Amino acid sequence: MIMEKTRKFLIFIITLVVVAGIIVAAYFLSGWLFTTINIDGQSMYPTIHDGDVTILYKQGDYERGDIVVFNTHKQDSQGNERYFVKRIIAMGGDTVKIDLVPGSDILSPEYGIYVNGEYLEETYLSGNFVHASATDKPRTEFIVPEGCFYYCGDNRLNSSDSRTDGSIGSVVLGNVSDILGRVVAKYPGAEGVTKIELVKRGS
């Protein structure tokens, strides 16, 4: 009888230790793999809305089309570090040029982005594309340095990005080392995770 109680007590203790270990491991693993960021602004509309909560995957490589959050090393009005959520258009070693969209009427020109000499079909811009491209102007082709990336917001009429800022010539780039993570899911902050949506790469 005593041995049976001792065995049950040992099983209880072992179970408790295993469960506690799983909880602790899950906590640290989730912090290592994922984090959440609240979005303030419309620069990625309509893909991501102002007030959305994004879930970022913090590991792995990045590629063209990924939506990422990164540190700009600039400060906001409260003196806090400013983070951007933008889409990667080109990576280190890629050539980028803004020029006329194929078939564009020269009397009413529309401009788009060319990466490595190929026109970038940005289907994710939806109906916003025509109005956004009309605001762009031709830019001389340049090569993105290794370790950097060229980025744009999907809301081209309301986005501070590599087309509009100035650092390298008329272009400012992000550093891959400053990326916090890739957006893999989102949900409206006011409605909660019941409205969660996955964000596929390149969409």
Side-chain angles (χ1 to χ4, degrees):
M1 185 70 174
I2 294 176
M3 290 186 65
E4 179 65 19
K5 287 183 177 180
T6 301
R7 188 180 70 84
K8 288 182 178 180
F9 179 72
L10 287 174
I11 290 174
F12 171 76
I13 293 298
I14 291 170
T15 303
L16 192 63
V17 169
V18 169
V19 170
I22 291 172
I23 292 172
V24 170
Y27 174 79
F28 284 105
L29 191 61
S30 64
W32 179 65
L33 291 178
F34 298 97
T35 190
T36 58
I37 291 288
N38 296 333
I39 301 303
D40 178 16
Q42 296 281 3
S43 74
M44 282 300 296
Y45 183 85
T47 310
I48 297 174
H49 293 211
D50 181 35
D52 279 355
V53 177
T54 56
I55 299 174
L56 310 183
Y57 179 60
K58 298 168 66 175
Q59 305 299 320
D61 296 326
Y62 303 104
E63 58 188 49
R64 294 197 300 265
D66 284 348
I67 299 173
V68 296
V69 174
F70 60 97
N71 192 342
T72 66
H73 297 290
K74 299 177 182 178
Q75 292 185 335
D76 61 20
S77 57
Q78 283 76 45
N80 300 314
E81 287 191 319
R82 192 178 179 194
Y83 285 81
F84 274 178
V85 55
K86 305 289 180 181
R87 187 182 297 276
I88 295 177
I89 299 299
M91 299 289 292
D94 289 334
T95 60
V96 180
K97 183 179 183 180
I98 294 181
D99 210 340
L100 288 169
V101 170
S104 175
D105 183 355
I106 197 166
L107 297 178
S108 181
E110 295 176 21
Y111 297 97
I113 301 173
Y114 289 75
V115 178
N116 299 327
E118 295 186 7
Y119 172 62
L120 190 62
E121 293 280 359
E122 299 185 277
T123 54
Y124 42 78
L125 293 182
S126 188
N128 189 41
F129 171 70
V130 173
H131 301 291
S133 63
T135 69
D136 290 326
K137 295 292 182 287
R139 305 282 175 87
T140 303
E141 183 177 86
F142 70 96
I143 300 175
V144 179
E146 293 296 334
C148 298
F149 61 96
Y150 183 104
Y151 60 89
C152 289
D154 286 359
N155 184 359
R156 299 294 162 81
L157 291 176
N158 185 22
S159 174
S160 177
D161 52 42
S162 292
R163 302 165 306 128
T164 55
D165 292 328
S167 175
I168 301 176
S170 59
V171 177
V172 66
L173 304 170
N175 293 311
V176 174
S177 60
D178 290 329
I179 296 177
L180 185 61
R182 172 171 61 89
V183 177
V184 294
K186 62 174 184 175
Y187 59 89
E191 299 183 48
V193 293
T194 56
K195 298 288 186 178
I196 194 168
E197 295 179 42
L198 295 180
V199 177
K200 296 180 181 179
R201 294 190 116 164
S203 64

